Amino acid sequence: MIWWGRSYLLVLGWLYSVSLVCGGDIVHHDDSLPNRPGCNNNFVLVKVPTRVNGKEKEEYVGVGARFGPTLESKEKHATLIKLAVSDPPDSCTTPKYKLTGEVILVHRGNCSFTTKTKVAEAAGASAILIINNSTDLFKMVCEKGEDVLDINIPVVMLPLDAGTSLRKFVDANDSVTLQLYSPKRPAVDVAEVFLWLMAVGTILCASYWSAWTAREEAIEQDKLLKDGSDELLQVSTTSSRGVVEITVISAILFVVVASCFLIMLYKLMSFWFIEVLVVLFCIGGVEGLQTCLVALLSCFRWFRSVGECYVKVPFLGAVSYLTLAICPFCIVSAVIWAVYRQYSFAWIGQDILGISLIITVLQIVRVPNLKVGVVLLSCAFMYDIFWVFVSKWWFRESVMIVVARGDKSGEDGIPMLLKIPRMFDPWGGYSIIGFGDIILPGLLVTFALRYDWLANKKLKSGYFLGAMCAYGLGLLITYIALNLMDGHGQPALLYIVPFILGTLIVLGHKRGDLETLWTTGEPERPCPHVRLQPQS
């Protein structure tokens, strides 16, 4: 783990470059969204299940227009309607034949959306499907100057590939029927509950591991002090256990590094670039999974002796036999995930590798005091707000949301995320949380528990419980905001940072420990015989 000491800032910047909680957005944005009578619908996704010659075929997804009546929310209430193709294809002029309640399929262009709809309605259509000129979905709005619209048929846009497929069936004289309905998302999905538990549980495990390690190091140092062995003490502190402490300067530079990584992801996002990220994630996941498994198995007597026997490996130095035995399993696990990552079950492997990596980072990287923690989280707080909200003014879209969803990659997003499939959402998809939303708050939570253990504080009188509750509450409010914003990605640190920093500062001031927390980050231990075990 020596490489952490030199490159931890780059690693943290890479892991934190995407810090977002997301539940699935609707469509891409349009800059012109007039809202007036007859043109004030909410933009909603629309399911379009199809039947060809009576047999069920593919189900397409479109987006409803700003105008027209709202659609049914349940499939059983949606009417099965026959599809017809417009002639002329753009439906800007009266069709050559009279319609008798069919859904008319038209191409985008040559006239406004409202003009196409009025022509189709006058011709007898019961609904209109507009084929976009790309595979994206576009928000259909009213034209300027149209004060009141009287449109009584539903209007739905389909992507180019869906429209082309439907047109082929009709051109082949097949009987095509379809339904139009827009199911509503549940207020809360079970996936968000499990994701909350995963994030809180990950920080909880990492905190206790970090505190236990810090306590063992302190006990060892006190034994050396008691024996008066200055030389051994110097060797002990310099050789450390691969722990890296963040400084104020590195906390500030970290945000700069993370921003550079995010811009690079945004500009270079493509299939091959995602493949590079997958390789890097696998390397980090193997390292994290191996570290966690070695530490866990070493707690058992049967594996302890194997973990204390070392062999010299070229380029790696001294490696325990236990590490050598576990390493192939970790590598195979990462390779299996990489090969099958497009399958529906791949999120399990991604979460296991991700959680292992996060716990390892929180064990190795430490915040030495509250001052560094405040600087780090304050910078991350501004980073989140800028790249989720403010970046829209420069890039005409939220850079972080685009990167997290992998819009330009042709895949389901970057791998530096924990995700769980939305179980009861009719639209499917995943609820996700970025590594940064766990790692950065986790650094301060683990600091709080280390301080409590070294200061022999009970759970109720310490700072860990308050910090842990503050993180859980902040993340919970993030999910509430996520659902209120209809799945639009939320910067979790916008809600988490004020809770954690406010809790630690207020408790520290109230208990008289704020100066110690702010400066040294460790309680005074004037005597090596001090009792370091936490009180029960």
Side-chain angles (χ1 to χ4, degrees):
M1 301 299 293
I2 297 176
W3 59 278
W4 277 96
R6 298 178 181 176
S7 58
Y8 80 94
L9 195 63
L10 293 176
V11 174
L12 278 180
W14 168 59
L15 293 176
Y16 179 67
S17 55
V18 176
S19 170
L20 189 73
V21 168
C22 195
D25 205 354
I26 298 180
V27 290
H28 297 188
H29 292 279
D30 185 2
D31 294 327
S32 176
L33 304 178
N35 190 336
R36 59 179 72 96
C39 190
N40 54 3
N41 291 348
N42 292 324
F43 291 106
V44 295
L45 289 174
V46 179
K47 284 182 177 284
V48 187
T50 60
R51 292 173 177 265
V52 178
N53 298 325
K55 296 181 179 180
E56 291 186 2
K57 288 292 183 178
E58 190 171 351
E59 181 178 84
Y60 304 104
V61 175
V63 62
R66 193 76 161 173
F67 48 89
T70 57
L71 293 165
E72 291 287 349
S73 60
K74 296 183 179 180
E75 184 178 9
K76 63 181 180 180
H77 296 153
T79 306
L80 194 64
I81 314 172
K82 188 175 181 180
L83 179 69
V85 175
S86 175
D87 186 12
D90 56 16
S91 187
C92 291
T93 56
T94 304
K96 296 180 179 179
Y97 52 87
K98 189 69 176 178
L99 299 173
T100 55
E102 294 91 346
V103 176
I104 188 170
L105 186 68
V106 308
H107 287 273
R108 178 183 174 182
N110 298 331
C111 61
S112 68
F113 297 122
T114 53
T115 299
K116 294 176 185 292
T117 306
K118 290 176 181 178
V119 170
E121 183 178 6
S126 61
I128 179 171
L129 294 180
I130 300 177
I131 305 173
N132 196 17
N133 48 22
S134 68
T135 54
D136 291 334
L137 293 175
F138 186 82
K139 288 185 175 179
M140 297 178 287
V141 298
C142 307
E143 292 294 308
K144 293 181 180 179
E146 294 179 319
D147 295 330
V148 179
L149 288 176
D150 184 22
I151 292 177
N152 301 303
I153 62 172
V155 186
V156 177
M157 172 169 283
L158 290 178
L160 179 61
D161 51 353
T164 303
S165 178
L166 288 175
R167 172 115 197 194
K168 287 181 179 178
F169 286 123
V170 176
D171 290 344
N173 293 323
D174 291 323
S175 175
V176 180
T177 54
L178 51 81
Q179 294 171 288
L180 300 174
Y181 68 104
S182 180
K184 297 179 180 179
R185 282 195 168 105
V188 178
D189 194 88
V190 177
E192 295 168 357
V193 177
F194 283 113
L195 204 58
W196 184 90
L197 291 173
M198 283 171 55
V200 172
T202 298
I203 292 182
L204 194 65
C205 293
S207 298
Y208 274 96
W209 186 12
S210 179
W212 180 84
T213 303
R215 187 183 63 187
E216 292 297 309
E217 291 174 356
I219 292 174
E220 184 178 348
Q221 289 180 12
D222 282 343
K223 287 180 179 178
L224 294 173
L225 279 172
K226 181 179 178 181
D227 296 337
S229 178
D230 295 336
E231 183 179 352
L232 287 175
L233 178 61
Q234 184 178 3
V235 172
S236 174
T237 47
T238 54
S239 62
S240 184
R241 299 190 183 185
V243 173
V244 177
E245 289 191 345
I246 300 176
T247 64
V248 172
I249 298 299
S250 60
I252 297 173
L253 289 177
F254 154 77
V255 176
V256 177
V257 172
S259 297
C260 292
F261 271 115
L262 186 64
I263 287 293
M264 184 172 64
L265 289 170
Y266 178 71
K267 293 295 184 181
L268 301 179
M269 185 66 72
S270 60
F271 175 79
W272 70 266
F273 196 72
I274 289 291
E275 298 298 310
V276 173
L277 293 180
V278 167
V279 172
L280 294 176
F281 175 74
C282 287
I283 294 172
V286 167
E287 181 69 30
L289 186 59
Q290 172 186 283
T291 303
C292 292
L293 289 178
V294 168
L296 181 63
L297 294 176
S298 297
C299 297
F300 298 95
R301 183 179 56 185
W302 307 282
F303 297 99
R304 193 171 301 160
S305 58
V306 182
E308 293 173 351
C309 297
Y310 292 84
V311 62
K312 193 171 184 179
V313 179
F315 304 109
L316 298 178
V319 180
S320 70
Y321 285 105
L322 183 58
T323 301
L324 288 178
I326 290 176
C327 189
F329 168 77
C330 299
I331 293 175
V332 169
S333 299
V335 170
I336 290 175
W337 171 81
V339 172
Y340 293 98
R341 69 182 187 276
Q342 302 292 347
Y343 287 74
S344 59
F345 56 81
W347 64 273
I348 300 174
Q350 180 171 329
D351 288 350
I352 292 174
L353 293 174
I355 289 174
S356 302
L357 179 56
I358 291 171
I359 292 177
T360 302
V361 171
L362 291 177
Q363 165 65 12
I364 294 170
V365 182
R366 292 182 182 177
V367 170
N369 52 49
L370 185 57
K371 179 176 70 174
V372 174
V374 169
V375 173
L376 179 65
L377 288 189
S378 298
C379 291
F381 177 82
M382 293 184 288
Y383 170 94
D384 258 19
I385 293 176
F386 180 85
W387 290 112
V388 174
F389 298 124
V390 182
S391 63
K392 294 178 183 179
W393 299 343
W394 277 273
F395 300 91
R396 302 188 68 181
E397 57 187 354
S398 176
V399 172
M400 192 177 293
I401 291 177
V402 170
V403 171
R405 293 187 311 199
D407 288 350
K408 302 178 182 179
S409 66
E411 295 199 18
D412 290 333
I414 62 176
M416 292 89 73
L417 304 164
L418 298 185
K419 64 181 186 178
I420 295 181
R422 297 177 64 85
M423 303 174 189
F424 299 103
D425 191 335
W427 294 105
Y430 293 88
S431 289
I432 64 174
I433 183 172
F435 284 0
D437 295 327
I438 303 175
I439 291 176
L440 293 190
L443 290 172
L444 214 55
V445 176
T446 54
F447 161 75
L449 187 58
R450 285 197 305 270
Y451 182 88
D452 288 352
W453 280 29
L454 294 176
N456 297 317
K457 288 183 177 292
K458 294 181 179 179
L459 186 63
K460 292 183 179 179
S461 61
Y463 297 95
F464 170 72
L465 182 60
M468 195 73 246
C469 290
Y471 175 77
L473 182 60
L475 189 59
L476 178 63
I477 292 177
T478 303
Y479 282 115
I480 293 174
L482 180 72
N483 286 287
L484 291 176
M485 297 295 290
D486 197 24
H488 185 77
Q490 294 293 303
L493 295 187
L494 174 65
Y495 309 94
I496 295 173
V497 169
F499 276 97
I500 289 186
L501 294 185
T503 299
L504 291 178
I505 292 174
V506 170
L507 288 178
H509 177 73
K510 183 179 179 180
R511 297 168 181 174
D513 297 329
L514 185 57
E515 184 177 354
T516 303
L517 290 168
W518 188 265
T519 54
T520 62
E522 292 183 1
E524 293 185 5
R525 292 185 288 123
C527 176
H529 302 284
V530 67
R531 186 172 182 269
L532 292 170
Q533 300 293 339
Q535 295 181 2
S536 58

